[in-house]
Amino acid sequence: MLRQIAALSFGFVACVFAAEFALRGMPVATGYHYLPMDAANPVLRGTAHSPYVYSTGWNFRRARRGTLNNDGFPATYDYRNDAPARVLIIGDSFVQAAAVTPGKRMHEQLTAQIAPAEAIALSRAGGSLPDYLSMAEWGVARYEPAVVVMLIVLGDVEESVVRKPGGYSFARSGAGFELVRQDRPPASLLKRLLNESMLVRYAYDNLALHARLGGTLPKVHVDSNTARGVSEYFLDGLARHIPANKTILMFYRGRHSHSFALEADIDALLAVARARGIRVMDLGPAFTAYERSHPWRLDEAPFDLHWNELAHAYVAEQLAETLRTIPES
Amino acid sequence: MLFHSFEFLLLFLPLVCAGFFLIGRYSPRLGASWLALSSLVFYGYWNPRFVLLILASITFNYLLARRIAARQDTGTARHLLWLAVSLNLALLAYFKYANFFLEAANAALGNDWSSPQILLPLGISVFTFTQIAFLVDVYRGLTREYRFVNYLLFVAYFPHLIAGPIIHHRQIMPQFDNLDNHRARADNFAVGLSIFMIGLAKKVLLASSFAEYADPIFDGADQGLAPTLAAAWVGALAYTLQIYFDFSGYSDMAIGISRLFGIRLPENFNSPYKARSIIDFWRRWNMTLSQFLRDYLYIPLGGNRRGPVRRYTNLAITMLLGGLWHGANWTFVVWGGLHALYLAVNHGWNELTRNVRRPGLWPSRFIGIALTFVAVVVGWVFFRCSTLDGAWRMLAGLVDLRHISEVGLLSGGGLDRLLIEYWIPRDSNYYRGGILALGLALVWFAPNTREIVERASASVSRAVFATIGAVWFWILLLAAIGESRQDSQFIYFNF
């Protein structure tokens, strides 16, 4: 019996090693090597100049290899605070653009168009309004940008009240809200060891095991009062760091939104923003017009609804045009 | 519960196996009861309401079969057989064809009768046909006396219940009585899991990949978009490969699971795209259904014993009903009719060239395989489309030489809209072409599952337990891949 169990285990373990060995030659998604997040390092960013591999699905679709820059964000150039004029772009996975070829992301293409000015992109996958606010605070202090551009997507208002490790949320405080950070401690030894295994990484990232293990944000619904309060608090916080006339809110509704509640909350946020003199760019009509006149999609559906390189170039172009209309003073 | 879900692999299957072998060691009859009960749980997992339906059907047919057996060679037996077959077909017709006939009547009579919302019970075609065959053989005196539990297990046996292979009592029921099968045997586990693994790989790695290309093109054609030459061929070839890998993958998985219990299910596919003629194709594709249609429809109709006219008529009836068996849609009828025509031409050609010596040279083999394959591909266009209009659009695309220079799928007018509306993957032409070429190479040149297992059996027998461990790892990995692709049911679950 013992011999049989040993033989069975041997067959299993031998295949584990064979798979591990084979996957080491494949572009398995590694994710970014994030630094711990705490008071000293209040935004989620990676280790400077660390390499990463992005790919998705069992067959490593859209494999990309790249390196984070000096500040631990995905960009092909280091961020400096002495460029002639700096545009700070803040957003979630759409801005992070892990699936886009390095050099073709929106901020990189924008930098090419507005040189010698420079676009600095701060991003956090799964981020929402409180994350954007914290990145604005950190980024404005660090880079002193001339303009802040923030990409808002559907669900950002609702997700603002969800706590997540390595992220921010808006929590009720008396009659209003407060910005709450949930620190991200250094990874445990076991986690670091598992991270070294390509088989584990393949199962976790490529095969989306993280989604089955609860790694995605829960769907939340907030009432309209909460949504309005969150939006007001967010815009108030933003106003403390950058004047309204130097702020652009880009809004992307997504291709197949059917949630009237989410849309209503975002519409309310954008209406308040407009009333405060913030410029709002709704990308929806521009995307529709583009896809009507071109034989290309702007995303990678059905596998990924994030923007592809064409979309990043298109948004960069639209953004460059808008930036030219903003007075320099 | 899908065979490749973790609920099935990590919970249901181990529990059923453990229970069957533990109980079967002490009482084979109780072991069979456990397997029958597990089969009903498996069936009820999808929709508990229909457990009552299948139980009622099994009990009714069993009781009637006993009565027929008791009155063999009498007029009463004949009447009982007719009654049983009619009621079985009526049940099938209600669940599967009520809406189809109602819509046809509406169209013919100009009525506006509303269609009832009828949910098709999974596997109803399989368990109905299995039981009709049993009843006919009882009437013919070809069965032995069977216990109810064995009959229940024979019909509801979960590996084959949903989508076949269609099993015959002569092949299966004696195996339930074989005491050897109630003991866990490592070699059965090694071979069974290996067959299961190959089937799983066919489903999650191949069938699902080809579906990504086929679905948007066929859906687009059904919605009114005219595919270009390249798009139509990519769609048609992708579906040709998808349905083979999907259905043969399912059959492999069913055969593999059954082997764990020592029960050998019949082979259902034998490299059908290597067929040199349509006659040959039907000896290799969905073999258990072909045998059923031959033994219980074509031959009772008279087969080829009553002259050429009756022969071709019988062939046409068999294939048209075979087409309609797949679903209540005119596209299936056309598909069946098309294959009846193919078979008639094939038989006619064989008659004409009966006295001609046929050298087995490779050019003639190649031409035979290529012609058969193209004919089958054209047939699948009707099989896959939801509407006849869509099928005609696809066929027009297959011969639309006006855009022959537009080999790049992304430059074609029709496909541009497909890209936007139906989410065809934006892969490079090299990648897309490579995937299709790989699929074609596999169906034309690679050995099939039986051949692979036969070749590997010598090395498997030298290291049975290591093989089980190794195969189990790959099954779990493939199931995780299937889970990540959100692979849902198999194509033949719809039939």
Side-chain angles (χ1 to χ4, degrees):
Chain A
M1 183 73 172
L2 215 58
R3 267 181 72 175
Q4 291 164 346
I5 291 172
L8 201 124
S9 309
F10 171 77
F12 192 91
V13 172
C15 287
V16 169
F17 279 106
E20 176 71 31
F21 181 74
L23 287 170
R24 288 197 170 268
M26 310 277 186
V28 174
T30 59
Y32 302 126
H33 296 278
Y34 284 117
L35 296 167
M37 198 174 117
D38 49 28
N41 181 41
V43 295
L44 187 64
R45 57 200 182 107
T47 307
H49 302 299
S50 59
Y52 67 86
V53 177
Y54 173 85
S55 65
T56 180
W58 70 280
N59 55 351
F60 316 103
R61 200 174 275 274
R62 303 172 73 201
R64 305 277 183 264
R65 288 175 195 277
T67 307
L68 300 181
N69 69 3
N70 61 323
D71 280 341
F73 290 98
T76 47
Y77 48 85
D78 285 348
Y79 293 160
R80 317 172 281 144
N81 60 3
D82 59 350
R86 290 163 296 284
V87 178
L88 182 63
I89 303 174
I90 293 170
D92 66 353
S93 48
F94 279 85
V95 172
Q96 194 172 62
V100 174
T101 308
K104 303 275 187 184
R105 289 168 287 223
M106 171 178 41
H107 52 284
E108 293 155 341
Q109 303 210 44
L110 182 65
T111 295
Q113 292 186 39
I114 60 173
E118 191 175 277
I120 292 165
L122 307 183
S123 53
R124 185 204 188 283
S128 57
L129 300 182
D131 299 294
Y132 307 157
L133 189 57
S134 68
M135 284 191 279
E137 184 180 348
W138 185 81
V140 167
R142 192 175 179 98
Y143 305 112
E144 297 169 8
V147 178
V148 171
V149 179
M150 217 167 260
L151 177 67
I152 309 286
V153 297
L154 220 58
D156 274 352
V157 175
E158 290 72 14
E159 287 166 15
S160 296
V161 297
V162 179
R163 293 180 66 125
K164 51 189 180 290
Y168 288 81
S169 59
F170 291 143
R172 284 266 178 207
S173 170
F177 289 90
E178 64 174 343
L179 188 63
V180 177
R181 186 186 68 239
Q182 197 167 351
D183 287 346
R184 187 175 187 273
S188 65
L189 179 64
L190 178 66
K191 194 169 178 183
R192 275 181 287 155
L193 281 174
L194 288 174
N195 256 334
E196 289 303 311
S197 161
M198 286 296 124
L199 182 58
V200 171
R201 290 241 55 112
Y202 180 68
Y204 192 77
D205 277 333
N206 290 79
L207 301 186
L209 194 65
H210 59 87
R212 282 184 74 84
L213 296 176
T216 51
L217 288 178
K219 295 259 181 269
V220 283
H221 296 286
V222 295
D223 58 69
S224 57
N225 281 340
T226 307
R228 196 178 317 118
V230 160
S231 300
E232 296 268 359
Y233 183 78
F234 167 69
L235 292 171
D236 288 346
L238 208 54
R240 282 198 291 275
H241 304 299
I242 191 95
N245 64 349
K246 299 291 182 190
T247 306
I248 299 173
L249 289 190
M250 281 197 300
F251 170 53
Y252 181 62
R253 197 173 298 269
R255 182 180 293 277
H256 293 284
S257 147
H258 298 295
S259 171
F260 296 116
L262 296 186
E263 299 217 11
D265 291 341
I266 285 279
D267 286 342
L269 166 72
L270 298 180
V272 176
R274 281 193 189 96
R276 293 181 177 208
I278 293 174
R279 197 179 292 247
V280 173
M281 280 175 69
D282 185 352
L283 295 172
F287 270 49
T288 306
Y290 182 95
E291 289 195 337
R292 282 211 180 114
S293 55
H294 296 76
W296 306 103
R297 297 183 62 92
L298 290 172
D299 58 30
E300 295 292 344
F303 308 105
D304 188 350
L305 294 178
H306 288 93
W307 300 336
N308 61 21
E309 289 168 22
L310 294 172
H312 276 261
Y314 185 54
V315 175
E317 198 180 291
Q318 301 279 310
L319 198 51
E321 269 179 38
T322 307
L323 288 172
R324 283 185 203 108
T325 64
I326 294 180
E328 294 213 350
S329 63
Chain B
M1 200 176 343
L2 293 167
F3 286 161
H4 55 294
S5 65
F6 282 112
E7 292 90 332
F8 179 84
L9 289 171
L10 299 179
L11 198 66
F12 182 82
L13 190 60
L15 270 177
V16 174
C17 277
F20 177 70
F21 293 119
L22 279 175
I23 298 169
R25 180 181 295 182
Y26 299 103
S27 163
R29 187 177 291 192
L30 278 179
S33 305
W34 168 259
L35 207 48
L37 181 71
S38 306
S39 297
L40 293 175
V41 169
F42 177 81
Y43 191 70
Y45 187 87
W46 165 69
N47 187 336
R49 271 192 311 155
F50 289 124
V51 174
L52 287 178
L53 177 82
I54 192 174
L55 269 178
S57 168
I58 289 169
T59 311
F60 168 79
N61 283 301
Y62 179 74
L63 292 175
L64 229 58
R66 285 182 66 105
R67 286 191 166 243
I68 292 170
R71 291 162 177 76
Q72 216 143 30
D73 301 325
T74 66
T76 315
R78 189 180 182 80
H79 292 138
L80 284 173
L81 175 67
W82 274 108
L83 174 74
V85 172
S86 306
L87 286 175
N88 275 296
L89 290 178
L91 186 76
L92 189 62
Y94 171 73
F95 280 107
K96 206 164 172 178
Y97 303 107
N99 285 333
F100 175 68
F101 288 125
L102 209 61
E103 281 163 21
N106 279 344
L109 304 172
N111 291 330
D112 191 22
W113 295 326
S114 60
S115 310
Q117 294 290 319
I118 299 171
L119 189 61
L120 183 71
L122 269 181
I124 187 167
S125 304
V126 173
F127 70 72
T128 304
F129 279 17
T130 304
Q131 295 188 100
I132 287 176
F134 181 77
L135 289 165
V136 171
D137 284 354
V138 169
Y139 174 74
R140 290 171 177 168
L142 300 176
T143 55
R144 290 192 297 140
E145 174 67 28
Y146 293 117
R147 289 188 301 273
F148 178 72
V149 68
N150 278 11
Y151 181 74
L152 172 66
L153 183 54
F154 157 64
V155 179
Y157 186 42
F158 75 89
H160 95 110
L161 177 60
I162 309 296
I166 294 173
I167 54 179
H168 197 276
H169 58 93
R170 261 191 310 237
Q171 295 165 318
I172 300 301
M173 291 176 84
Q175 296 188 58
F176 293 148
D177 282 334
N178 185 346
L179 291 181
D180 251 9
N181 292 341
H182 292 266
R183 296 185 196 291
R185 282 181 46 178
D187 57 339
N188 275 342
F189 270 78
V191 172
L193 289 176
S194 301
I195 296 172
F196 181 87
M197 178 188 70
I198 294 170
L200 183 55
K202 282 181 180 176
K203 169 66 181 168
V204 303
L205 301 184
L206 298 168
S208 298
S209 299
F210 295 120
E212 287 169 4
Y213 296 122
D215 288 347
I217 293 174
F218 277 95
D219 291 348
D222 276 330
Q223 298 295 322
L225 296 175
T228 59
L229 179 79
W233 276 104
V234 166
L237 287 176
Y239 185 68
T240 300
L241 295 168
Q242 182 202 348
I243 191 167
Y244 170 65
F245 287 119
D246 189 282
F247 191 19
S248 73
Y250 175 84
S251 296
D252 289 344
M253 289 158 84
I255 291 167
I257 291 167
S258 183
R259 186 66 177 265
L260 304 182
F261 304 103
I263 308 293
R264 291 170 191 243
L265 292 184
E267 197 183 0
N268 212 22
F269 289 88
N270 181 18
S271 307
Y273 294 147
K274 291 178 186 169
R276 295 182 199 178
S277 67
I278 284 290
I279 296 172
D280 189 21
F281 173 79
W282 279 106
R283 287 184 188 133
R284 294 162 174 263
W285 178 275
N286 201 355
M287 293 150 70
T288 56
L289 177 67
S290 301
Q291 282 156 16
F292 176 88
L293 291 174
R294 186 194 63 203
D295 295 343
Y296 297 97
L297 188 59
Y298 179 69
I299 291 174
L301 283 170
N304 54 5
R305 302 186 304 276
R306 297 183 187 171
V309 175
R310 278 296 299 272
R311 175 198 201 164
Y312 290 123
T313 309
N314 294 339
L315 205 54
I317 293 170
T318 305
M319 294 313 291
L320 284 171
L321 288 177
L324 198 58
W325 175 80
H326 285 88
N329 195 330
W330 288 110
T331 51
F332 292 120
V333 179
V334 174
W335 175 76
L338 198 58
H339 273 276
L341 181 70
Y342 292 160
L343 285 167
V345 170
N346 199 165
H347 283 294
W349 174 260
N350 285 353
E351 282 293 316
L352 277 175
T353 59
R354 193 166 39 179
N355 298 322
V356 179
R357 192 172 154 269
R358 295 177 206 185
L361 298 175
W362 71 264
S364 68
R365 283 206 303 269
F366 171 80
I367 291 168
I369 291 171
L371 271 178
T372 306
F373 184 74
V374 172
V376 169
V377 170
V378 171
W380 289 138
V381 168
F382 285 96
F383 193 89
R384 171 62 179 79
C385 280
S386 320
T387 63
L388 285 177
D389 285 345
W392 293 125
R393 257 177 235 114
M394 281 295 291
L395 289 186
L398 289 175
V399 294
D400 182 7
L401 297 179
R402 289 171 301 168
H403 301 291
I404 195 162
S405 59
E406 292 185 9
V407 287
L409 290 186
L410 300 180
S411 62
L415 205 67
D416 297 341
R417 296 315 306 165
L418 287 176
L419 274 169
I420 304 289
E421 307 292 340
Y422 292 97
W423 290 2
I424 192 169
R426 203 165 67 93
D427 296 326
S428 75
N429 289 329
Y430 294 113
Y431 183 82
R432 189 181 294 115
I435 292 282
L436 286 175
L438 172 71
L440 292 172
L442 285 174
V443 298
W444 280 331
F445 304 115
N448 60 34
T449 306
R450 176 180 46 79
E451 291 163 345
I452 293 170
V453 172
E454 275 172 7
R455 285 178 201 181
S457 57
S459 41
V460 167
S461 64
R462 279 197 294 273
V464 174
F465 284 93
T467 303
I468 294 171
V471 168
W472 188 242
F473 169 80
W474 295 114
I475 286 174
L476 291 180
L477 188 62
L478 286 166
I481 291 174
E483 192 87 12
S484 75
R485 303 190 79 172
Q486 297 176 326
D487 278 331
S488 54
Q489 62 182 31
F490 293 82
I491 292 175
Y492 262 68
F493 280 18
N494 300 315
F495 308 143

